Amino acid sequence: MSNFEQFHLDFYQSNYTIDDQEEDYNSYGPNENLCGSRKSQTGDQPPASAFAPSEMLLFSQSYTGQILQPTYSPDTHLGYADGFDEEPPLLEELGINFEHIWQKTLTVLNPMKPADGSIMNETDLTGPMVFCLALGATLLLAGKVHFGYVYGMSAIGCLSMHALLNLMSIPGVSHGCVASVLGYCLLPMVILSSSAVVFSLQGIPGTLLALFIIGWCSLSASKIFTSALAMEGQQLLIAYPCALLYGLFALLTVF
């Protein structure tokens, strides 16, 4: 047993004591070790700007506003304002010009007035649609439901006149221009159908009035076609097929 105890003491015997460990700990100090380690870490790492892209740095230098509050640019506001002011009106974009409609209406009402070819050579269908509806409405007031006849004869008449005018004129004409002129010249026929609401046209006075309206419509249409297509000296040739077309509308109105 004595030998074993001696071996045990010799095995665990060491010159390092607890007092020496405390002295070493106090000599270095915990704060100094911690600060030194932090300084070494910060000294080894490169600055954050070294890894930042040049575009991000430029954006951070140029942007002077706040988050969710964009900077105000007066040039952009003025650009939008100028753009809105330069835009044409909505009716003009849709092809509706009340001044031209009024001038065409006056030209039809006054057959002796010279027609402006630049204005008449337009595909304006606003006035013709209104006059066709007015003709059908006045016939309806007289007890005649002829909307289908009005639209059908208008379509057939426009196609026939388009083919005839293309054969007679050198520059040619479009379907829209023919429909516009024939529709505007339907205005005197609306006057005839309105008078049919007040009194009957089946008699000598009604027949004379119908013939007068037919001549009025055909004269106005032929005048406009000759001025728009530069067909001087051919007004009577154009007035004849126009008189046949408006004669069909007069038959609907009288009978």
Side-chain angles (χ1 to χ4, degrees), residues 116-132:
D116 189 359
S118 61
I119 296 177
M120 294 302 170
N121 197 9
E122 294 179 355
T123 58
D124 177 25
L125 299 179
T126 305
M129 290 299 296
V130 172
F131 296 153
C132 286

Side-chain angles (χ1 to χ4, degrees), residues 171-186:
V173 65
S174 62
H175 291 89
C177 180
V178 174
S180 177
V181 173
L182 294 178
Y184 272 104
C185 295
L186 198 63

Side-chain angles (χ1 to χ4, degrees), residues 120-197:
M120 294 302 170
N121 197 9
E122 294 179 355
T123 58
D124 177 25
L125 299 179
T126 305
M129 290 299 296
V130 172
F131 296 153
C132 286
L133 291 175
L135 179 60
T138 51
L139 290 175
L140 183 61
L141 292 177
K144 303 174 184 179
V145 185
H146 293 327
F147 284 98
Y149 291 105
V150 171
Y151 295 143
M153 288 190 300
S154 298
I156 295 173
C158 290
L159 293 176
S160 302
M161 287 298 300
H162 176 264
L164 181 62
L165 291 174
N166 280 330
L167 293 175
M168 296 177 63
S169 62
I170 297 176
V173 65
S174 62
H175 291 89
C177 180
V178 174
S180 177
V181 173
L182 294 178
Y184 272 104
C185 295
L186 198 63
L187 179 58
M189 197 62 61
V190 176
I191 299 174
L192 180 64
S193 62
S194 300
S195 61
V197 178

Side-chain angles (χ1 to χ4, degrees), residues 1-251:
M1 293 296 293
S2 60
N3 293 328
F4 181 77
E5 291 178 357
Q6 184 66 30
F7 176 77
H8 180 74
L9 293 174
D10 293 339
F11 183 79
Y12 287 100
Q13 188 176 3
S14 175
N15 294 326
Y16 185 79
T17 60
I18 299 176
D19 296 335
D20 297 335
Q21 184 178 3
E22 291 180 354
E23 290 178 359
D24 294 337
Y25 180 79
N26 292 329
S27 63
Y28 288 102
N31 295 330
E32 293 179 0
N33 292 332
L34 181 62
C35 294
S37 61
R38 290 183 178 177
K39 289 180 181 179
S40 62
Q41 292 178 0
T42 54
D44 296 338
Q45 292 180 356
S49 61
F51 293 94
S54 59
E55 297 178 358
M56 295 179 62
L57 295 176
L58 181 61
F59 177 77
S60 62
Q61 293 177 1
S62 61
Y63 183 76
T64 58
Q66 298 179 0
I67 298 176
L68 301 179
Q69 294 182 0
T71 56
Y72 174 75
S73 180
D75 297 336
T76 306
H77 180 71
L78 293 176
Y80 278 113
D82 295 339
F84 288 136
D85 292 338
E86 293 177 358
E87 288 185 356
L90 179 60
L91 294 178
E92 186 176 349
E93 291 183 355
L94 295 176
I96 301 175
N97 193 335
F98 289 105
E99 183 179 359
H100 289 183
I101 292 173
W102 178 247
Q103 291 181 3
K104 292 179 181 179
T105 304
L106 293 179
T107 304
V108 172
L109 292 177
N110 187 8
M112 302 303 172
K113 179 183 178 181
D116 189 359
S118 61
I119 296 177
M120 294 302 170
N121 197 9
E122 294 179 355
T123 58
D124 177 25
L125 299 179
T126 305
M129 290 299 296
V130 172
F131 296 153
C132 286
L133 291 175
L135 179 60
T138 51
L139 290 175
L140 183 61
L141 292 177
K144 303 174 184 179
V145 185
H146 293 327
F147 284 98
Y149 291 105
V150 171
Y151 295 143
M153 288 190 300
S154 298
I156 295 173
C158 290
L159 293 176
S160 302
M161 287 298 300
H162 176 264
L164 181 62
L165 291 174
N166 280 330
L167 293 175
M168 296 177 63
S169 62
I170 297 176
V173 65
S174 62
H175 291 89
C177 180
V178 174
S180 177
V181 173
L182 294 178
Y184 272 104
C185 295
L186 198 63
L187 179 58
M189 197 62 61
V190 176
I191 299 174
L192 180 64
S193 62
S194 300
S195 61
V197 178
V198 180
F199 57 90
S200 178
L201 298 177
Q202 295 181 4
I204 296 176
T207 303
L208 294 177
L209 181 60
L211 292 175
F212 174 74
I213 294 297
I214 292 171
W216 187 356
C217 294
S218 59
L219 181 61
S220 299
S222 60
K223 177 191 65 175
I224 295 173
F225 279 130
T226 53
S227 62
L229 301 177
M231 299 173 62
E232 290 80 4
Q234 302 181 13
Q235 184 174 358
L236 294 178
L237 296 176
I238 300 174
Y240 176 71
C242 293
L244 295 178
L245 175 62
Y246 291 114
L248 296 177
F249 289 106
L251 291 175

